[in-house]
Amino acid sequence: MAKTITIPVDAYLITLQIESYQVVEKKIAVGKSTQIQHERVKQTRDIPPNQNDKTVMRAIDVANAIWAPADITFQLRKSFFPVTEAPGNVEEVSVSGFFQMITTLKIKPIGAVAALFVNRFEKRDLGGFAAEALGVCIVTSLGDPVLGKTLAHEFGHLLSLPDLRNDPKSVANNYNLMYEASRAGDKLTSDQINKARNSERVKLVYQSP
Ligand SMILES: [Zn+2]
């Protein structure tokens, strides 16, 4: 039996702020007369992540069941609830917006991986995206158990596994965790398990003090 690998997870449940400006009229007394002045008033609308500690824990449980054959366990280390400007002032986070938030929020998982939860992320990987070199992934708002299944796939990317393309000659890929599209199963091959267990991220997690 292989030694269990435990990977801490920092969860960021992000509330995005959308700013808009409204022009309002203001009456101002000037001597005996009144003047109308137009003022720009800033309004901020919050877009919450649609997740909480419980749904994130449940998603990590689902991911752990999928990763169990590899003897890899993800463990919630800390949850953060940042409120930040929506990149580009739009509700849907793009890939470039994802990288922008990593910089703005100074997300640098040391001895861990980080998972960002937002209300809407552009359709990639069926709702998620991973920056392997940074150890950070993002997922859109999904229900149970799809959130966990998507998280498990993104964790796979963080552990150096690439997407598996559609193979017209075989359906095996369709049942694999790393299948590029909607998948029929969550299987991991022994090659994938070896690759994940020996990935750069696992080395970084175990090297960090
Ligand atoms: Zn993928």
Side-chain angles (χ1 to χ4, degrees):
M1 198 70 178
K3 192 173 161 277
T4 299
I5 290 170
T6 303
I7 299 175
V9 178
D10 289 341
Y12 291 80
L13 291 80
I14 303 173
T15 295
L16 296 175
Q17 292 194 311
I18 305 271
E19 286 178 357
S20 60
Y21 289 89
Q22 227 186 8
V23 177
V24 292
E25 280 189 357
K26 249 191 171 176
K27 283 181 183 152
I28 295 179
V30 181
K32 280 178 185 167
S33 62
T34 52
Q35 273 186 6
I36 300 222
Q37 231 178 39
H38 291 95
E39 245 177 52
R40 260 159 62 91
V41 178
K42 189 166 101 173
Q43 287 178 326
T44 307
R45 188 162 52 93
D46 283 352
I47 314 289
N50 265 337
Q51 305 295 346
N52 55 49
D53 257 334
K54 266 190 191 154
T55 60
V56 167
M57 290 265 251
R58 176 80 197 111
I60 292 175
D61 284 348
V62 171
N64 281 338
I66 293 169
W67 277 95
D71 268 312
I72 295 175
T73 299
F74 297 90
Q75 201 168 60
L76 184 62
R77 179 167 76 174
K78 201 171 176 190
S79 296
F80 301 88
F81 300 87
V83 178
T84 188
E85 274 176 34
N89 206 36
V90 290
E91 282 189 40
E92 186 174 274
V93 178
S94 64
V95 169
S96 66
F98 164 58
F99 284 104
Q100 205 179 311
M101 285 196 301
I102 293 175
T103 309
T104 314
L105 298 171
K106 299 186 172 68
I107 296 171
K108 197 171 190 287
I110 295 172
V113 294
L116 278 52
F117 298 87
V118 291
N119 181 49
R120 257 165 74 194
F121 178 70
E122 74 170 60
K123 291 262 181 295
R124 289 267 179 129
D125 256 14
L126 305 165
F129 184 76
E132 185 188 329
L134 302 176
V136 185
C137 65
I138 185 167
V139 283
T140 196
S141 161
L142 297 162
D144 180 25
V146 188
L147 182 71
K149 284 165 81 79
T150 304
L151 199 58
H153 176 99
E154 301 312 330
F155 284 162
H157 284 312
L158 297 183
L159 301 183
S160 302
L161 301 185
D163 276 324
L164 291 185
R165 305 289 170 207
N166 181 48
D167 180 355
K169 287 182 210 125
S170 152
V171 293
N173 283 3
N174 305 41
Y175 288 85
N176 191 280
L177 171 66
M178 299 314 292
Y179 187 52
E180 62 177 343
S182 186
R183 59 187 198 262
D186 304 308
K187 286 201 173 69
L188 284 160
T189 65
S190 52
D191 280 356
Q192 285 174 317
I193 289 172
N194 280 331
K195 195 170 184 193
R197 291 182 61 91
N198 294 296
S199 63
E200 201 54 39
R201 184 52 48 181
V202 168
K203 284 186 196 122
L204 285 170
V205 166
Y206 277 83
Q207 271 167 13
S208 78

